[in-house]
């Protein structure tokens, strides 16, 4: 059973840049991410066709070059088929974190941590 859909291949490469002169905004966001002590959620809101997706894909491309940040892109519209939204989000997070560590050749300890993350996302949390 598929738990999440991978987002469209990014439309960026080493030579692409930000549309509409948004480099300064991207740099500010990167600094906020790098200097944050804890996680947070960021929402970017604009009218249809304003370039939100292109901006995010370029920002993710740039953030993947850093060692401190694991950017995770979750497309709610692409994952709308899921009956369990948390499971879909958890699967997306797991997929991105696993890919990050695998690309850097991390140890067995990381594999154990990923399995723990996987187990946590499968179990309903009771408060």
């Amino acid at each position: 059973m598929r738990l999440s859909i991978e987002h469209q291949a990014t439309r960026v490469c080493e030579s692409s840049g930000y549309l509409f002169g948004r480099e300064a905004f991207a740099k500010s966001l990167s600094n906020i991410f790098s200097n944050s002590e804890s996680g947070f959620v960021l929402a970017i809101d604009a009218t249809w066709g304003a370039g939100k997706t292109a901006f995010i894909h370029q920002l993710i491309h740039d953030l993947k070059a850093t060692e401190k940040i694991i950017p995770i892109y979750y497309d709610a519209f692409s994952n709308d088929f899921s009956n369990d939204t948390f499971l879909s989000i958890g699967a997306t997070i797991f997929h991105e974190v696993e890919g990050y560590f695998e690309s850097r050749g991390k140890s067995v300890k990381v594999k154990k941590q990923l399995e723990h993350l996987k187990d946590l996302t499968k179990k309903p949390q009771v408060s």
Side-chain angles (χ1 to χ4, degrees):
M1 175 173 85
R2 187 161 204 171
L3 299 176
S4 72
I5 294 177
E6 293 179 41
H7 61 82
Q8 301 170 8
T10 56
R11 301 174 196 109
V12 295
C13 63
E14 295 304 319
S15 62
S16 63
Y18 291 94
L19 300 175
F20 312 118
R22 294 191 173 131
E23 294 86 0
F25 181 55
K27 182 70 173 162
S28 295
L29 285 178
S30 295
N31 288 336
I32 291 169
F33 297 149
S34 296
N35 294 316
S36 176
E37 296 280 329
S38 61
F40 59 91
V41 175
L42 170 72
I44 295 180
D45 185 30
T47 59
W48 186 88
K52 297 178 297 293
T53 303
F55 175 78
I56 288 299
H57 284 299
Q58 184 67 47
L59 182 61
I60 286 172
H61 179 269
D62 293 349
L63 291 174
K64 282 185 176 182
T66 69
E67 290 292 320
K68 292 177 61 177
I69 299 170
I70 304 172
I72 298 171
Y73 179 83
Y74 181 79
D75 186 338
F77 294 109
S78 293
N79 289 285
D80 195 34
F81 67 91
S82 177
N83 292 332
D84 186 347
T85 306
F86 181 74
L87 186 59
S88 175
I89 292 170
T92 302
I93 292 169
F94 179 84
H95 174 75
E96 293 296 328
V97 171
E98 182 179 48
Y100 173 86
F101 287 116
E102 282 181 356
S103 71
R104 286 158 176 79
K106 296 297 180 180
S107 68
V108 174
K109 181 179 179 185
V110 171
K111 286 281 187 196
K112 289 180 183 178
Q113 291 170 334
L114 288 171
E115 286 304 316
H116 179 66
L117 173 63
K118 194 177 193 180
D119 290 340
L120 285 175
T121 60
K122 287 181 182 177
K123 297 176 188 171
Q125 300 298 313
V126 179
S127 31

